[in-house]
Each structure stands twice: as structure tokens, then as C-alpha cells.
Amino acid sequence: MPATGTPRKRERHDMFLTAGSTRAKRWKNRLKWAVTLSGAGLLLFSLTYGLDKSDQLASFVCGLVLLLSGFQLFPFRGPGPGVEAILPDLRKDIDEFWRKERRARGLAGAELMPIRLRTAGTSGHLAVEHTGAPVWPSHQYAKDVAALVTDSTLTRAVIHGPPGVGKTTFAIMLTSGVVRGDTHVPLYLSLASWSPGEERFHDWFDRQVAAAYPSLRALHPRNDTLLERLAIDRIVLILDGLDEIRGPVRTDALKKIDEAVDRDQSLIVLTRSSAQLPSLTGGSVLVLERLEAEDAAAYLTVRLLSRVPATARTAVRRLCSALRTGAVPDMAEMLRTPLYLDLLCRAAERDEDVPTRFLDAVERRGADAGKQLLYSTFVDQALRSRLGGSSRRLRRARRWAACIAFEMSRAPAASRTLAWWRIYERVPATVFGAATALAVAPAYRLCLLMPPGLTRGFAIGTVTSFVLGACRGVNTRPAAPVAALASAASVLVVGTWLLDGRQAVVDACEIGAAIGLVFFFKSELCGRWPACAGAVLLTGMASALAVYAANAVLPPGTAPARTPVGVLLAVVTGVAIAALAARLLTRPGGPLRPSTASLHRRESLGLPLRPVFTATCAASAAGLGGAFVGAATQGLQHGLHVGIVFALVLGPAIGLPVGLIAWLNQPGRLPSASALRTYEHDRALAWLCFAGVTTTATATQIALDGLVQSWIDRLGDSSFTAQPVHGLLFGMTIGIVVAAYNTAWPNYVLCITWFAARRLLPWRFIRFLGLLHECEILRQEGPLYSFRAVELQSYLAATHAPARGEGVPGPHSDLPEQNRGTGAPTCGPTLR
């Protein structure tokens, strides 16, 4: 059972697990040494008596496998550090991240508006109120609100208020104040990325905190979740944006949170006011009130009068006078909301005419006109401050921001957060089908240089691997016809150039049918083993039938005909090995996620032998599959030849970079994650995969030519000769597949190319998101982005008039949802 309840119960649970792990270590060590000594003895025997026979070569390989297995197949993992042990590092990560975010949001050293926080149902009692000067220094704000937690005034509470009252600012300053102390550690999360109807709160919480604070992965949750492991009195959960959960399930969201979080856990939930006021078991309900008109006027006086030119002070005094006297009720009502008051001050500090224009707009056309003026001025000023005076660049950036806001506001079931690695959910599935031609062409060209055992089956298996890796989370079934046609056309072009037309048509029918069915059966290939086996068999049978039909229809030619049995064997082997490798190296049935591997130094990582060995075995399966097909079709000697060359080339080439990435993915002391840092790490690891596989394959092929050529000569098979250039081409092809398995960057490059070619997004999309964040139009919560205010997002969305069928990345969700995209302008599933 999970360790829940009091800290004493959790401590006893950890002690029990530690004792069990210590007992298990004894017999595992004995078994490890027994297997290791057996493998070493077999290896020594093989080296002593020579390697001139194939059975001795098999003994050599078997001994090598046993030697590696003894060390790595029985690893011992300790219980991992406790929660208290990682709290100092976690506190440092939180403090570093929110220090940068406060600067990005303009809160560092800012003069903030006083707040009024009272207990609901009372009229006079205030839980906290700053009654000093009309402005509140940010450091004092953080200190005062953090005192509510440290003195146990605020333990379990729901804080609500009208739109724009400053709930998010309150949550951020509360987080900043608490983390500066030495008693509590706050965890701030935005609920906008949670879909209660589709995901448990435990699962969402674990994913979000692990993405934002990777050091928490060091807890190694066993049967319990991170939420349960963090259920200690020193952890304070601050959940903002309950109102941003859309759909009919929003009313039940707080109930699910209440049931999931331990009763002794400090929990603060912020939301907009609603008719049905939510509550927590054993908690209180607080109201964050808007400013009084007198407070707003005093704030304007202090902040603006001394900062604007003398020519604009008259307009500021008119504003303050109208606020105090209530001469313009719409303006007084609007400026009582801190959001609009802050926007007015920011705009007036940069443009002295704003107060006059704002007052005239409200007097003539009402409050809505004043809001539109503030939004437009804020966006234009923020973008101009970063882009300079170029009107063209300003219009283009504004259009892109409006497109993003429009798509993030479209679907009622969508959240309001955006992640760069999930933009594929707004890409039609047919785009991935058409892009298959780019992967088929080099794979087919390479297979024509290979021996018969690794030709069409290798090309089909390689492209299948790319589809299973790069299309994680994508519903590829609607794109099956497009993928089949694109693959067949690519094979026809390459085959007609290098071969005769009849053979090119036969190969196009075989590969096109196989790739089309891989797209159609992708979910089955990633699902349960019986369904996967059935999909593999049906794909092979359909390809064999396509080849038989093509041979029957086409006139006889000089090119060798493909037999149905050989085609069935090659296709089944290629697709089966690709599905097996995908399952061993990644999670093809889950959503696309960026790599969490990091090159930062961590302690107790151990040696990378086990992940390298696992990846090597998975990769060598492709060479062994080719050996099996080659032996069945060309004879035993040819099959052994293929197995020796390609298993030894493929295994180390893929095993080394993939194993290192898996090793670097282990939990440890990692800095807090941001969108840019996540993107840069993922891109670097994608290039590491590509370069590592290419270099290792080429070097291994060169080494094989010098070391084992005499073994191959004794086999008496002269059907082919592997050259270093083959290792280079082989490594480049497989390197792209490995990068697609381990990172989200290849998928992102394909998607952003489609968007940028249609002029819907900039090529450097991640930099544009960073620009909007620097302009305070977007806010960042871990690796996710959202708009600063829902009202600002709605304004930008209203200014966008998309063309027919136009779409841009919409609101993101990190759920294992499939892409519904078919090119229609309706928003797809939530992207988080």
C-alpha cells in the first residue's frame, strides 16, 4: 500500500522497504557473480581455442552477452532519498525559477497595489490588509502574505475574486515569500493544464511537478505517487486558475482535488468568484476584493504624477478627480480592477497622451472602449520595445500573437496553456503521411546497396521505426492512404532511376502497402502484444498480396520477381523488429514528450552499462532479423554473413548513444525547467543521437573490415561486401530514427515547417514565444506558456480573422490523446 497518512507512518513504510531491499541484494549479488563467472569462462574458452568455426563464434557472442548480463540484468536500486533530503535542492530550484519569473512579469522591485483579503461571510474582518502607504513594495508584499502560511492562518483555503483582481500576482508573491523562509516549501501550479474528466489529479500533479522541477524525479515513487510522497506539513500546494478549467467537469474539479490531497496538507486554491462558491474539507473561503476608488486614485497619484511629463499631469489629475468623485462611473468601476489600473500606468509611463485618450474614450464610448485602448496600447508598446520601430515586424508579430490567442480560445474543452512539443496536435495527420516520402527515399536507396537479406524489409522496418517514434500521440489512421501513395511514389522515383521500371513498380506496391498499413495499425503496433502480432501479420500478408498482384498484372521482365513467401517474411520481420525496438527504447503508445536527459553532474549515477546493453540488444535484433531472412532465402552461409556484419554494426551504433541518453535520464539534481531550456536540451540530444549513431556505425564498419574480414572469407559467401560508406549511410538513416525515438525535436521540426511554410507561425517559434514572454504578453509556468490574462487573450483573439481552413497551434494538453487533426479548422484535443 502507498505510504500515506502521518509522517511517522511514512517513515515506517520507508524503513520496511529499505530492509526488504537489503535482503534482496544478497541473493541478487550471488546470482550476478555466478552468471558473470560463467560468461567469463565461456569467453576465455572461445578465445583460447580459436574462432575459426561458426559455433565457436556463437559461443563467443553468447559469452559476451552473459558477461554483460551478469552485471546489468540484476541491478540493485536502493530506496532513494527521502522527501526531507531533497527539500533544500527543491527550495533552491523554486527560488531561482520564480526570481527570474518575477523579473519577467515586472514584479521584481515593483510598486504593487494594496490588497483586501477577507473571510467570506464577514464584513469587517480582514485576513490581511496593507493599510500603510497607497503602494505596496513587492518585497513587503511577499513577506506579509507569506506570514499567513508561516503562522498557520492559511492552511487549507479557497481564495476567490473577480477577474483581474490580482489572484495570480497574489499566488506568485505568496510563493516567493514562503520560499524565502526556512520552514515551508511552496509548489505553485496552474490548473489550466488539467482536464479532470480525462485524467486523475494524481497523474496530472506528478507530471507537472516533475516537468517543472526535475529534481523531484529523484524520489523514485514506487506504489505511491509524488503527490503522496510530498504529503508533509512543510510542503504548501498553491493551485491557481481553477476557473480556467473548461467544460462541464469544472464544478467537480475542486472535489477531486479535495479527495486527492491529504487532509493535513497545506492547500491554497485560487479561482474567480462564482454563484456556487467551492470549498475544501476543513478549509476556509477567502475573498480577494477589488480596490476602492479612493485607493485607486491614491495609487495613480503616487505612481504617475512624479513620472510623467508636466504636460500630462493635468490629465492624471483629471483621472484621479473623476475616480474620487465618481463623475465617470464606468471608468471608476474599471480602474478598481488592478489589471486595468496596471495597464493604464504602464501605458502612461511610455506615452504621455494615453491618460487623455483613455479618459475621452471612456466618456464617449464607455468602459469597453477604454479596455480596448489599454489592451492595444499595451501590446503595441511591449512589442515595439523589443522589435524596434519597424512597423512591418510589429504587424507580423501582432498577427502571430493574435493567431495563437485565437486558437487557444476556440474549443470549449481546451485549456489555456501551450507547450512547444505539442504543436503536432494542430497539424493534420495527412501532413505526417505525406512526409513519409522523405523517410522512404533514403531508406530504399540504402537497401539497394545491401545484401538480399536486408533490402525491402530493412526499408520497411526503418520507416516503421520512424513512424512509431516521430508520430507518438498522433492518430495516423486517417493518413494511411496518403502515406501509402507518398511511399509508393518515392519508391517509384528512386527505383526508376536506379533499376528497371518493372522492379520499381513491384517494390512500390510492396513498400507502399506496408507503410500504409503501418499508419493504419499504428495504435495496434503500440498496444497489447496479441493486437501487435495480428497487425504485423496482416501487414505482411497485404504486402505479399500486393507484390503477387503486381507480378500478375505486369508483363514479364528481366528483373527478378519477388515471391509472396519472401515478401511476407521480409515485411513481417522488418515491422516486428521495428515494433520491438520501439517498445524497448521508448513509449510509442504515449504522447510525444521532450527528453529529460541532462548533462548536469549528478551523484550515484553508476555505470551506463545496463542501458547501453539493453539498447544494443534491441538494435542488434534488426541485424539478426536480416540474418534470418537472408538464411531462409539465400542460404545459411549468407545469413551468417549478414548477421555478423550488420548485428555488430547496428548494435554498438545504436546502443551507445541510446544507452547514454537513458543513463542521463536518471533522476538527480537538476535545475528547474523552462520552455527554452527544455527545447535546447531536446535539440542537443537529437543531434547527439544522429551524430553518435552515424559516427559509431562508420567506425564499427571500418573496424570490422580490418578485424573480421578473414572470418567472413572462410564462410565462402561472396554475395556482397560491406564498405565504410555503407556504414555511413546506414548510420545516418538509423540516426534519424533514434533521434525520433528519444526526442520531440524531429516531430517539432516537421510541424513548424508546415506552419511556417503557410506563414502561420515564425520559423523560430520557440524564440517568438520567448519574445512574448519578455513583453509580458505571455507568462511562463515551468515549460508551459499561457497569456497574462484571459481578457488580454480574448482581445487578441477577437482581432484575428483566419482564412478558410487556417489553423495554428492551439491550447495544449499533455494527455495521451490521439491527434484528431484532419485539416479542419476546429480545434483538436487539448495540448498542454
Side-chain angles (χ1 to χ4, degrees), residues 14 131 167 397 449 542 600 669 682 687 713 742 745 769 795 810:
D14 289 342
T131 57
K167 297 181 293 296
L449 301 174
H600 289 270
R669 172 72 176 87
D682 195 72
W687 279 107
D713 293 340
N742 291 277
W745 192 69
L769 293 178
Y795 161 75

Side-chain angles (χ1 to χ4, degrees), residues 460 464 468 513-514 517-518 520-544 567-580 583:
I460 293 172
T464 300
L468 296 181
L517 288 176
V518 165
F520 188 82
F521 289 126
K522 187 182 80 72
S523 60
E524 284 74 15
L525 293 174
C526 303
R528 297 181 180 273
W529 286 110
C532 179
V536 171
L537 183 60
L538 287 175
T539 302
M541 293 174 62
S543 296
V567 172
L568 175 65
L569 192 61
V571 174
V572 167
T573 304
V575 176
I577 290 175
L580 175 64
R583 290 169 178 268

Side-chain angles (χ1 to χ4, degrees), residues 235-247:
I235 299 291
V236 181
L237 302 184
I238 303 175
L239 306 179
D240 187 21
L242 180 66
D243 57 282
E244 296 184 18
I245 298 175
R246 301 182 181 180

Side-chain angles (χ1 to χ4, degrees), residues 385-407:
S385 65
R386 298 291 177 177
L387 299 176
S390 174
S391 58
R392 180 182 178 184
R393 296 177 63 191
L394 179 62
R395 288 195 305 269
R396 187 171 52 190
R398 210 179 198 283
R399 184 180 74 249
W400 287 334
C403 289
I404 296 174
F406 175 77
E407 291 296 334

Side-chain angles (χ1 to χ4, degrees), residues 112 114-116 129-137 140 144 295 298-299 302:
L112 303 177
I115 63 170
R116 295 180 178 273
E129 180 182 7
H130 184 70
T131 57
V135 296
W136 205 347
Q140 188 65 38
D144 289 351
D295 294 334
Y299 182 81
V302 173

Side-chain angles (χ1 to χ4, degrees), residues 94 98 170-180 186-188 238:
I94 296 173
W98 286 108
F170 175 84
I172 293 174
M173 300 311 294
L174 177 63
T175 302
S176 302
V178 171
V179 78
R180 290 177 179 177
L187 290 177
Y188 172 92
I238 303 175

